């Protein structure tokens, strides 16, 4: 069975850390491809720091262009409103019935899986891959997996991924300070951000 990676997130904006994690997991898990799925951000959550949904989608498309084994889906952007991962995985199962799905999350997110909508049912739809930093103390993560039960132990995999200290928050702060984004985002993404005047202080964005 073919193995398909799913990488969800706001990608606000997508940065080199995201790409390095995805590349590492692609290689370690012998995946056929990884699909990036930007999440929709509801209008009531949109403020000066959030880029419109379509801009985040376009930036993600630009970022993955050099990687033939990466692609981008607007599945959650089309749905709008509250977008549950359970619903996304169900749709992907219909689109890729011959594929085994691997859903990529940060290792710290494993500790919150017990709060996710229909998490036990999600274990029947996909295997979760937790991206860890080398040397990361994962005792809380292991305890969280244990608390989720026997099925979780079978359906959650922890992998070491490249160390990086890049965050979308830091990138947005640098933009407002007028600093360059070298080594933080791909050049095409940096150009897109400044060409479209994203993340500037006082600028209110609306989803479109």
């Amino acid at each position: 069975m073919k193995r398909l990676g799913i990488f969800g997130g706001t990608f606000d904006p997508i940065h080199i850390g995201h790409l390095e994690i995805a590349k590492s997991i692609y290689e370690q898990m012998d995946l056929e491809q990884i699909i990036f799925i930007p999440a929709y951000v509801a209008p009531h959550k949109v403020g000066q720091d959030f880029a419109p949904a379509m801009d985040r989608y376009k930036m993600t498309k630009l970022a993955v262009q050099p990687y033939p084994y990466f692609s981008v889906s607007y599945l959650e952007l089309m749905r709008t409103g509250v977008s549950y991962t359970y619903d996304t995985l169900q749709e992907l199962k219909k689109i890729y019935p011959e594929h085994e799905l691997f859903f990529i999350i940060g290792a710290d997110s494993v500790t919150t899986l017990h709060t996710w909508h229909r998490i036990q049912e999600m274990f029947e739809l996909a295997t979760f891959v937790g991206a860890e930093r080398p040397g990361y103390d994962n005792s809380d993560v292991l305890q969280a997996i244990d608390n989720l039960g026997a099925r979780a132990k079978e359906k959650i995999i922890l992998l070491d991924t490249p160390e990086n200290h890049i965050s979308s928050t830091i990138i947005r702060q640098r933009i407002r300070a007028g600093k360059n984004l070298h080594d933080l985002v791909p050049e095409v993404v940096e150009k897109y951000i400044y060409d479209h005047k994203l993340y500037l202080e006082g600028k209110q964005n609306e989803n479109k």
Side-chain angles (χ1 to χ4, degrees):
M1 182 176 283
K2 296 178 180 178
R3 297 155 69 91
L4 181 67
I6 310 298
F7 198 172
T10 53
F11 301 121
D12 192 37
I14 189 167
H15 55 67
I16 288 172
H18 293 131
L19 298 172
E20 289 181 345
I21 287 171
K23 186 171 183 291
S24 175
I25 291 175
Y26 167 81
E27 294 171 347
Q28 291 187 64
M29 295 297 298
D30 192 28
L31 302 175
E32 180 188 31
Q33 66 167 310
I34 291 179
I35 301 175
F36 288 69
I37 304 183
Y40 179 80
V41 177
H44 70 276
K45 293 186 177 181
V46 174
Q48 64 185 32
D49 276 350
F50 276 100
M54 191 52 65
D55 283 321
R56 292 185 287 107
Y57 171 76
K58 290 178 180 177
M59 286 189 287
T60 306
K61 287 275 287 184
L62 289 170
V64 307
Q65 278 183 348
Y67 306 90
Y69 42 85
F70 291 167
S71 62
V72 185
S73 168
Y74 50 82
L75 189 63
E76 292 194 0
L77 303 186
M78 287 191 303
R79 191 184 305 141
T80 73
V82 176
S83 190
Y84 292 113
T85 301
Y86 173 79
D87 297 329
T88 299
L89 290 177
Q90 277 202 314
E91 289 189 50
L92 289 170
K93 270 294 187 184
K94 294 175 183 176
I95 298 170
Y96 301 98
E98 304 301 320
H99 288 69
E100 185 177 2
L101 303 184
F102 293 85
F103 192 82
I104 300 165
I105 58 176
D108 54 342
S109 294
V110 173
T111 61
T112 70
L113 282 179
H114 68 283
T115 69
W116 287 33
H117 179 63
R118 303 176 79 163
I119 184 59
Q120 293 296 333
E121 292 169 76
M122 287 169 64
F123 290 144
E124 305 310 314
L125 297 172
T127 297
F128 285 75
V129 181
E132 290 191 305
R133 299 185 300 274
Y136 174 77
D137 179 4
N138 66 358
S139 54
D140 288 347
V141 174
L142 294 175
Q143 183 61 55
I145 294 173
D146 190 60
N147 292 343
L148 281 167
R151 191 59 171 148
K153 294 176 184 178
E154 298 173 354
K155 299 292 286 188
I156 300 176
I157 298 170
L158 301 177
L159 292 181
D160 278 347
T161 54
E163 178 77 48
N164 80 81
H165 301 285
I166 303 172
S167 78
S168 295
T169 300
I170 290 172
I171 291 169
R172 294 193 297 266
Q173 290 171 348
R174 288 185 64 86
I175 293 165
R176 289 195 295 271
K179 297 180 179 180
N180 69 61
L181 307 179
H182 295 169
D183 301 321
L184 296 176
V185 302
E187 287 185 17
V188 288
V189 172
E190 180 177 13
K191 183 177 187 303
Y192 187 97
I193 288 170
Y194 282 113
D195 283 351
H196 292 78
K197 298 179 172 57
L198 301 179
Y199 309 114
L200 297 180
E201 191 170 8
K203 178 180 175 61
Q204 296 295 318
N205 292 308
E206 296 180 358
N207 273 284
K208 55 188 178 181

